Every structure is written in structure tokens, then in C-alpha cells.
């Protein structure tokens, strides 16, 4: 006993002799993550699965009046959906159990508006059950999206609906095993079917759903489920639907701001706020296609592996989680094109992160807390996020030199902080040793769960990590450098005013092959040698091959509408000033936008210069200026002679506020006409309508 005590004393005094502090962890800084949030952070990537009546009606938001009979996947295969996600390296799946249209993918006891009245499996199917079971079999986490807004329910807007909503929530929380998340959407577009009332119903997002008590049900029944809404309570929206977090993205948010409630808007969500009052990390939600639901017309608009990688580096690589949407098609499986792209994305990520090139390197830290082994620099290379290198309290801007022992080439830097102590690093830099001195290779601000910096390839024998700003001693859990496989860039596809298409590779050392039928170019596809005409539009896919043909690059895809070379805007008539010129809406330049002088309805008439067979019409909203001018209700009509008009399509551009991508409207059948009229009935926030482009897809 006595000897044991002496041994302890000796140990303590040796720490004191080294002049360091005793090896106790530093105090936490700022808002801290909960255990639930830490588990969510560890997932990093998971899948969204948008599936409902919209899949069969070709809409993004159902109106609520859809018959359950339309939901009839011909070959629904939950295992295929889950397998696709798993092969893509995604660690969970969130299913839209109910979207805004109110149709339930499970046989809820509380409504007839569900799969139990669908022909699919003779009304005995349960998509939620099948997906939950498939996830369990595959070892993936499972979660649900239950839209608060319900355009079907007759009581929506009244207190009775809240009871209904909570009953549904309880069904999902109790009957389908453990859920890793419940996703609460903030969207509320107002009008809907509402049991036949067909009217606009407005609610106050802050109070109507009595969120504290609604969330309480989740806490009670699934204490480890993390909840999403624009403003938490467990993780937040990143403020856009393109999958990109702020270059600086704090895991904390100031919850004292009045807009911090579900549906309270996107301001401040992209970058987060420091120091903030709550740990509320961002989720980047984005679809692998332009829309959230499957549309056959988007089969050639699936994001390429290179685009997915870019999103990965700008979401996961900025400390957020990535929620990547994979929408099942009308068969009820993930389409081949999506499967292919996702697989290649994962293959490239796996190749990149297979080996930390810093593993085995010699580490020299400018300071280690108390000189203790427990906090030493080696912790950043042990592959564990629950061990870390940390300095003495007085040292907030330490350096770590990493000597590889041999020339090493990399282009990705990977960093993690030890989250239980809070987000501590405010800025850092990484230097490479070049020609006998340190040269800055990359620098960044927020780190949090993970920071990836992707740059040019550099070859060096040693690198240096410098924390350049931190309010307290930084706690670094992991550090790594990696090399991405060298890829051939996708070519650029352009069509000029004369409707000639050119395919340009970024270097002359490669050749470009292409297809015009939407299929993937192979080494046997036609070689691009000179610009070719495409006046009626179509889908061009182009891919780079090394001159010997043994290596293929990423594929670029572009879909062109009818060439606008011969078009004229007949009304409104411009006043001669270029900026206000109506030509801006047909100049094939998305950045030039025509803005109306007054709120809608605003009518635009275009002469196509010749009679065409029109299949679809499109509207591109302005890319800048937020919601200003973004049309959300429209009418299209066509005419043969410019005098007699036939209605072609009318409706809402659903979800255009959050996802302002090009809106394509399918006509009931091909229509022949030379004139097109677009009526912008209304734009968001009652602003004057704006048009970046009007397009025609036809023959
Ligand atoms: C939005 C919804 O309105 C979209 O339809 C989609 O579900 C997206 C993930 O969230 O707010």
C-alpha cells in the first residue's frame, strides 16, 4: 500500500519536473454536442429516399387530391434501394413516410389516404416496414420524414390536425424499430386539397405544431433519434438544396435569434454562428437528380461522379453531414444511371482514402499538454476520433511537423477536432516543405467533425499543420493527407448561336467521344472532330479518353432545348436598354435575367420563327437575388398563328424557393405551334416576376 503510494507520487513529480500540467483534459469550450449528436456526426453520409404518389404523377409536390390508386410500383425492391445506398458508402436511409401530399407509405390507422388503398400488393403493402427491414438486414440506420404540411387532410390548419399528426408520429416511432432520425420539413406552401376544400390555409410555423411537445414525443419514444428541422433541435438545414455548406461552417448556432424555428428561413444557416448558443451542426440535403422525386425526363441529368465528389468535399469536408437523395423510379428501384454514378463516386472516394500518407510519419509538436503521452501528437494518426492531441492551456496556436521520410505526393488534407470539448479551432494552415523552406499549401477556418481541403498535387518530404487562431488550446483528433486518383476531366459541351455543338477537353493529350441518344459514351462511340449542328436540341453525352483509349474520364451530359437563334420576344416590347431587354430571357445565358416592372400576372409572348412540335416547356428562375422574381405559379399556352391560343399547361412550380433549378413542364401530348405564351401568375413574396430563360423541348 505504502509502496504503491510512493509510485504515484513519483509519477506526479516527474510530470511536474517536465514542467507540464498534470494530464487532465482541458475544459470544454462553448456549446457542446450531445451523445445523440456525436452518433449523428459519425454517420457523415446517408441517403434520402423520396418516394410517393409524386413518383407516378411526375410532380415535386402533390396537391393532396391524388388517388391512392396511382401508387403502384411494378417491382418495388427495398433491398435494391438499400443496397444501392450501402454500395455508395451511405450509412443510413431516411424515407419520406409522408410527403406534403399527405399520402402515407404505411397503412396508418388514422387515415384512408395510404398504401392500404393502393393496388400495390392489393393494399397489403407497407413501404416503411420493407425499408426498415431492408436497412436492418444491411446494417444501415433507418429514419423517417413525416411532412408537417399535409395538403390532403381536411383538418389541416385546425387543432385536430395536430392530434392526427402526433398519432402518425407515434405509429412510426413505435412500430418500425430504432430510428436514427426524424426529419421535420419546414415547407408550407399554403394552398391544397384539404379534404375537398381546395383553398389556401396559412398556419404560424412557430406555434401551430407546438414543436416543444411534438419533439417531446420523439424524445420519449426514440431517445437516440436526432431530429432535423431548419433550426434543430439536433441538426440544422444548411440553407440550400444544392448540398454545399459554407466555406466556413460552424457546428454552432445562435438560437436567441427570432428566426430560429422550423420554416424560419435560411439566413445564417449556411455558415452557422460562433460562438453560438447551441451545438447545431448542418446537414447538406441534395438530390442526385435535379428534383427530389423521380422523373424519367431527368434520367440524363443524374449528377456525375465528379459532381458528387465536389459535393462530398463541400459538405462532409466542411463538417456537415451529407443527406444524398436517391429517388426510386416507377418500378420502385433506383434507376441504373443513379446506381452507376453513385458506385463510381464511392470507388473514387475509396481509392482516395484507402491510405493516410501520413501514417508512420515522424511527428514533432511544438507543445503537448503536460508532456503527457495521452495527449501526444501521435493521437492524430491512430484513426480514432475519441483520442486527440491537445496543448497546454496557454498554447493556443501550436504547430505540428509531419515528416514522411520520403517524397510524398498528395492533394487532400483531412482534419478532425475532438468534438466533446467543443469547436475550438478558428483558423489553421498547412505548409509544405519546398526548396528548403515552408510554403503555405492550404488554409481554412472551421474544422469541427471533419475538414477536407482539396487542392493541387504537391510533392514534399514534410508538412506542417499550424493552428493560427483558437480561443483555447486546440484538440485535434485526426490529421491525414491523401492523394486522389488522377482523373481525366469531363469535356465541356457548348452550343453556339448557330446551333453548332463543340466538345472541348481541358488538354490536347486526350480525345473526346460522344453520344446523342443519352447512352454512356464508350471507346467505340463517335470521335468528336468538328462542331456539329443541333438545332432541334437533344442530349449530348461526352467523355474524355486517353489517346490510346485505355483510360476513360468523367462523362459530361447536357440537354439542349430547341435552338433559340430564330426566336423573338413579341411582348413585352423592350425600351432599348440592354439590361431591361426581354431578349435576356431567350439569350441562352442563364446569368442575364429579364425582370418585370410590376408584380404578376405578367405575360410574355415568343415567336419561335417556325412551326415546331413542342413536347415540354421550361422556365429558368434567376440564379441571383434570392426569392426575388422567382415565379411559383404559371400558365403556358401555344398558338399556330399568334392569334388563337390553346392552353398547354398551368400550375405551381413546387419547391422552387428551396430548390431554384430549371422547371420543365410536360404538355399532355406533343403540340404543334410557332408561338409560345408564358404567364407568370405570381412570384415568391409577391415580387415582380423574373425570367432567366424560357425554353422549348420538342422535335
Ligand atoms: C423540402 C420539400 O419541400 C421538398 O419537396 C423536399 O422534400 C426537400 C427535402 O425538402 O423542403
Amino acid at each position: 500500500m505504502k509502496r504503491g503510494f510512493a509510485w504515484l507520487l513519483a509519477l506526479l513529480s516527474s510530470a511536474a519536473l517536465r514542467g507540464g500540467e498534470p494530464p487532465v483534459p482541458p475544459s470544454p469550450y462553448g456549446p457542446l454536442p450531445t451523445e445523440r449528436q456525436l452518433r449523428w456526426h459519425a454517420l457523415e453520409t446517408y441517403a434520402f429516399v423520396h418516394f410517393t404518389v409524386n413518383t407516378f404523377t411526375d410532380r415535386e409536390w402533390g396537391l393532396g387530391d391524388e388517388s391512392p390508386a396511382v401508387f403502384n410500383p411494378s417491382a418495388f425492391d427495398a433491398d435494391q434501394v438499400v443496397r444501392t445506398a450501402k454500395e455508395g458508402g451511405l450509412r443510413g436511409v431516411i424515407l419520406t413516410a409522408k410527403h406534403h401530399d399527405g399520402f402515407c407509405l404505411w397503412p396508418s390507422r388514422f387515415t384512408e389516404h395510404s398504401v392500404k388503398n393502393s393496388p400495390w400488393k392489393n393494399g397489403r403493402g407497407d413501404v416503411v416496414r420493407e425499408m426498415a427491414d431492408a436497412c436492418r438486414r444491411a446494417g444501415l440506420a433507418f429514419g423517417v420524414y413525416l411532412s408537417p404540411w399535409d395538403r390532403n387532410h381536411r383538418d389541416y390548419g385546425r387543432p385536430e390536425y395536430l392530434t392526427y399528426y402526433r398519432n402518425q408520429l407515434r405509429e412510426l416511432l413505435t412500430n418500425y424499430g430504432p430510428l436514427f432520425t426524424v426529419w421535420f420539413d419546414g415547407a408550407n406552401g399554403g394552398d391544397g386539397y384539404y379534404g375537398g376544400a381546395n383553398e389556401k390555409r396559412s398556419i404560424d410555423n412557430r406555434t401551430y405544431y407546438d414543436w416543444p411537445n411534438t419533439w417531446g414525443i420523439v424524445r420519449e419514444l426514440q431517445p437516440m433519434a436526432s431530429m432535423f428541422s431548419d433550426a434543430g433541435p439536433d441538426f440544422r438545414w444548411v440553407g440550400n438544396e444544392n448540398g454545399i455548406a459554407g466555406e466556413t461552417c460552424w457546428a454552432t448556432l445562435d438560437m436567441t435569434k427570432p428566426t430560429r424555428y422550423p420554416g424560419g428561413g435560411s439566413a445564417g444557416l449556411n455558415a452557422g454562428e460562433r460562438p453560438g448558443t447551441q451545438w447545431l451542426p448542418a446537414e447538406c440535403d441534395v438530390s442526385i437528380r435535379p428534383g427530389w422525386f423521380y422523373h424519367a425526363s431527368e434520367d440524363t441529368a443524374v449528377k456525375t461522379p465528379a459532381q458528387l465528389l465536389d459535393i462530398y468535399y463541400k459538405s462532409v469536408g466542411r463538417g456537415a453531414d451529407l443527406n444524398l437523395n436517391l429517388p426510386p423510379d416507377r418500378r420502385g428501384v433506383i434507376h441504373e444511371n443513379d446506381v452507376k454514378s453513385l458506385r463510381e463516386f464511392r470507388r473514387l472516394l475509396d481509392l482516395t482514402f484507402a491510405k493516410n500518407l501520413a501514417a508512420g510519419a515522424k511527428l514533432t509538436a511544438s507543445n503537448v499538454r503536460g508532456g503527457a503521452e495521452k495527449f501526444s501528437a501521435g493521437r492524430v494518426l491512430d484513426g480514432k476520433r475519441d483520442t486527440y492531441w491537445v496543448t497546454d492551456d496557454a498554447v493556443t496556436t501550436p504547430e505540428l511537423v509531419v515528416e514522411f521520410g520520403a517524397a510524398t505526393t498528395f492533394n487532400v488534407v483531412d482534419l478532425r477536432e475532438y468534438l466533446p470539448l467543443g469547436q475550438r479551432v478558428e483558423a489553421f494552415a498547412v505548409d509544405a516543405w519546398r526548396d528548403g523552406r515552408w510554403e503555405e499549401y492550404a488554409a481554412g477556418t472551421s474544422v469541427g467533425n471533419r475538414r477536407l481541403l482539396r487542392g493541387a498535387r504537391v510533392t514534399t518530404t514534410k508538412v506542417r499543420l499550424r493552428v493560427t487562431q483558437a480561443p483555447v488550446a486546440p484538440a485535434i483528433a485526426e490529421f491525414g493527407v491523401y492523394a486522389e486518383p488522377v482523373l481525366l476531366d469531363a469535356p465541356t459541351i457548348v452550343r453556339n448561336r448557330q446551333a453548332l455543338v463543340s466538345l472541348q477537353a481541358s488538354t490536347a493529350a486526350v480525345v473526346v467521344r460522344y453520344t446523342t441518344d443519352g447512352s454512356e459514351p464508350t471507346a467505340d462511340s463517335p470521335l468528336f472532330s468538328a462542331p456539329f449542328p443541333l438545332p432541334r436540341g437533344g442530349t449530348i453525352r461526352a467523355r474524355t479518353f486517353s489517346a490510346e483509349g485505355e483510360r476513360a474520364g468523367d462523362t459530361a451530359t447536357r440537354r439542349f432545348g430547341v435552338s433559340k437563334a430564330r426566336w423573338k420576344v413579341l411582348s413585352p416590347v423592350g425600351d432599348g436598354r440592354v439590361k431591361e431587354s426581354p431578349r435576356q430571357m431567350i439569350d441562352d445565358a442563364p446569368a442575364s435575367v429579364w425582370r418585370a416592372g410590376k408584380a404578376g400576372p405578367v405575360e410574355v409572348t415568343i415567336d419561335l420563327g417556325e412551326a415546331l412540335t413542342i413536347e415540354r416547356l421550361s422556365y429558368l428562375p434567376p440564379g441571383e437575388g434570392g426569392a426575388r422574381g422567382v415565379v411559383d405559379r404559371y400558365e403556358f399556352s401555344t398558338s399556330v398563328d399568334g392569334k388563337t391560343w390553346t392552353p398547354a399547361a398551368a400550375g405551381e412550380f413546387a419547391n422552387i424557393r428551396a430548390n431554384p433549378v430549371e422547371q420543365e413542364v410536360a404538355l399532355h401530348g406533343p403540340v404543334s405551334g410557332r408561338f409560345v405564351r408564358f404567364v407568370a401568375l405570381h412570384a415568391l413574396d409577391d415580387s415582380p416576376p423574373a425570367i432567366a430563360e424560357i425554353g422549348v423541348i420538342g422535335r
Side-chain angles (χ1 to χ4, degrees):
M1 189 72 192
K2 215 175 169 186
R3 252 179 41 215
F5 191 59
W7 171 83
L8 187 66
L9 266 182
L11 188 83
L12 285 176
S13 61
S14 81
L17 271 180
R18 285 200 308 268
E21 297 168 22
V24 290
S27 311
Y29 173 82
L32 301 178
T34 59
E35 173 59 27
R36 193 168 39 233
Q37 288 171 318
L38 289 173
R39 289 193 195 181
W40 173 85
H41 273 297
L43 291 173
E44 291 190 0
T45 54
Y46 42 84
F48 228 161
V49 171
H50 273 66
F51 191 36
T52 189
V53 287
N54 296 346
T55 312
F56 302 88
T57 56
D58 224 1
R59 284 176 182 274
E60 279 291 292
W61 282 357
L63 295 170
D65 63 352
E66 294 77 14
S67 162
V70 305
F71 185 81
N72 196 13
S74 57
F76 173 62
D77 184 352
D79 287 310
Q80 190 267 3
V81 176
V82 171
R83 199 183 326 121
T84 301
K86 188 172 182 173
E87 285 173 6
L90 313 180
R91 299 195 176 104
V93 170
I94 305 173
L95 173 69
T96 53
K98 179 184 88 169
H99 203 253
H100 308 326
D101 54 81
F103 180 75
C104 300
L105 292 186
W106 81 104
S108 170
R109 281 205 293 124
F110 302 99
T111 179
E112 289 304 303
H113 197 55
S114 83
V115 278
K116 73 182 167 206
N117 288 311
S118 297
W120 178 63
K121 298 205 165 169
N122 294 318
R124 281 189 289 277
D126 183 343
V127 181
V128 180
R129 165 93 46 229
E130 292 197 29
M131 288 294 290
D133 290 350
C135 282
R136 213 147 297 130
R137 280 193 289 275
L140 260 60
F142 179 64
V144 293
Y145 168 118
L146 183 68
S147 171
W149 183 29
D150 189 321
R151 297 173 107 178
N152 172 262
H153 204 273
R154 71 184 137 98
D155 288 331
Y156 185 76
R158 306 188 187 113
E160 291 81 357
Y161 172 75
L162 188 59
T163 309
Y164 170 75
Y165 186 71
R166 287 178 172 169
N167 283 337
Q168 293 202 314
L169 193 56
R170 283 181 188 277
E171 279 186 318
L172 293 171
L173 293 168
T174 46
N175 293 334
Y176 296 95
L179 301 178
F180 84 97
T181 188
V182 183
W183 215 92
F184 294 107
D185 198 308
N188 190 332
D191 53 357
Y193 168 74
Y194 305 129
N198 287 309
E199 61 190 11
K200 185 167 176 153
R201 293 192 183 166
S202 304
I203 52 102
D204 182 343
N205 246 325
R206 247 171 309 207
T207 52
Y208 178 57
Y209 302 103
D210 180 18
W211 284 118
N213 289 308
T214 301
W215 290 337
I217 300 173
V218 180
R219 289 287 192 252
E220 172 204 327
L221 298 171
Q222 295 268 355
M224 282 327 272
S226 279
M227 286 182 264
F228 166 95
S229 87
D230 298 343
D234 297 308
F235 58 102
R236 71 175 197 260
W237 188 34
V238 78
N240 63 52
E241 292 183 359
N242 59 24
I244 299 182
E247 163 96 60
T248 293
C249 184
W250 305 113
T252 49
L253 205 64
D254 179 358
M255 293 301 284
T256 63
K257 293 201 171 155
T259 55
R260 300 292 184 238
Y261 61 89
S266 60
L269 300 182
N270 198 242
E273 282 144 345
R274 183 160 177 86
T277 59
Q278 198 184 313
W279 189 272
L280 206 55
E283 180 205 74
C284 295
D285 62 327
V286 60
S287 184
I288 194 164
R289 290 162 172 253
W292 289 99
F293 287 92
Y294 175 84
H295 308 287
S297 62
E298 294 179 354
D299 282 351
T300 54
V302 174
K303 293 190 171 68
T304 66
Q307 287 173 310
L308 293 175
L309 282 174
D310 184 55
I311 287 173
Y312 182 86
Y313 281 98
K314 290 172 178 164
S315 55
V316 174
R318 292 178 176 175
D321 271 10
L322 169 61
N323 180 3
L324 178 65
N325 182 59
L326 310 173
D329 61 15
R330 289 184 182 178
R331 292 169 298 177
V333 296
I334 307 299
H335 189 273
E336 295 69 1
N337 293 1
D338 310 43
V339 171
K340 220 171 148 218
S341 189
L342 189 65
R343 261 196 204 142
E344 179 61 5
F345 153 77
R346 174 47 55 178
R347 194 182 71 84
L348 295 172
L349 266 190
D350 286 348
L351 280 175
T352 304
F353 291 102
K355 186 172 184 316
N356 183 353
L357 301 170
K362 182 176 166 231
L363 302 178
T364 314
S366 61
N367 178 279
V368 169
R369 189 172 186 82
E373 181 56 30
K374 185 175 173 203
F375 300 127
S376 66
R379 302 300 177 192
V380 304
L381 290 180
D382 64 5
K384 297 183 191 149
R385 49 172 95 203
D386 55 353
T387 65
Y388 54 98
W389 163 52
V390 65
T391 53
D392 291 322
D393 286 343
V395 180
T396 58
T397 54
E399 294 179 5
L400 176 64
V401 174
V402 180
E403 289 173 80
F404 301 125
T408 300
T409 303
F410 67 89
N411 77 315
V412 174
V413 174
D414 190 1
L415 266 179
R416 285 183 193 281
E417 281 184 90
Y418 177 67
L419 301 184
L421 291 177
Q423 189 156 22
R424 304 165 79 89
V425 176
E426 286 180 344
F428 68 96
V430 175
D431 309 316
W433 186 257
R434 308 221 20 213
D435 307 323
R437 58 187 188 89
W438 289 115
E439 220 173 75
E440 186 169 297
Y441 172 71
T445 49
S446 51
V447 178
N449 184 55
R450 191 168 189 191
R451 188 68 200 252
L452 296 169
L453 295 178
R454 192 188 194 194
R457 272 163 201 278
V458 60
T459 302
T460 180
T461 53
K462 56 181 178 179
V463 295
R464 179 171 70 171
L465 167 67
R466 278 181 290 132
V467 174
T468 52
Q469 197 180 316
V472 287
I476 309 292
E478 290 295 305
F479 174 80
V481 295
Y482 299 89
E484 284 188 274
V486 184
L487 285 189
L488 302 175
D489 288 342
T492 339
I493 307 173
V494 289
R495 184 177 68 174
N496 68 10
R497 292 293 296 167
Q498 287 71 48
L500 293 175
V501 172
S502 301
L503 311 175
Q504 293 148 0
S506 56
T507 114
V510 294
V511 297
V512 176
R513 296 182 181 273
Y514 69 100
T515 62
T516 53
D517 60 0
S519 66
E520 182 81 8
T522 65
D524 301 324
S525 302
L527 196 66
F528 173 75
S529 52
F532 56 90
L534 198 71
R536 291 282 183 272
T539 298
I540 304 293
R541 306 199 78 191
R543 197 171 176 193
T544 318
F545 290 81
S546 56
E548 301 77 33
E550 84 285 17
R551 274 198 311 130
D554 201 29
T555 303
T557 306
R558 261 195 88 173
R559 237 183 33 195
F560 294 100
V562 171
S563 159
K564 301 173 190 171
R566 301 172 61 181
W567 295 15
K568 265 193 205 74
V569 180
L570 300 181
S571 73
V573 183
D575 62 2
R577 283 177 295 175
V578 175
K579 193 156 166 275
E580 279 73 26
S581 166
R583 250 217 93 68
Q584 314 252 61
M585 64 177 92
I586 56 162
D587 63 357
D588 269 328
S592 77
V593 174
W594 175 78
R595 289 184 184 273
K598 64 166 187 75
V602 165
E603 196 179 280
V604 162
T605 310
I606 299 171
D607 177 359
L608 308 177
E610 62 184 321
L612 294 171
T613 305
I614 304 170
E615 285 173 344
R616 291 195 297 272
L617 292 159
S618 67
Y619 161 71
L620 181 72
E624 307 264 301
R628 207 164 50 89
V630 174
V631 176
D632 63 347
R633 273 190 289 119
Y634 70 93
E635 276 169 16
F636 272 116
S637 37
T638 61
S639 168
V640 174
D641 55 9
K643 292 183 190 104
T644 325
W645 292 89
T646 315
E652 66 176 1
F653 291 134
N655 199 30
I656 198 166
R657 185 189 291 272
N659 192 21
V661 295
E662 179 165 79
Q663 307 288 310
E664 267 193 27
V665 178
L667 310 192
H668 296 306
V671 170
S672 161
R674 170 172 169 170
F675 301 88
V676 168
R677 180 166 285 167
F678 175 65
V679 187
L681 291 172
H682 180 260
L684 295 175
D685 305 330
D686 303 324
S687 55
I691 304 174
E693 288 296 314
I694 293 289
V696 170
I697 294 111
R699 277 182 266 145

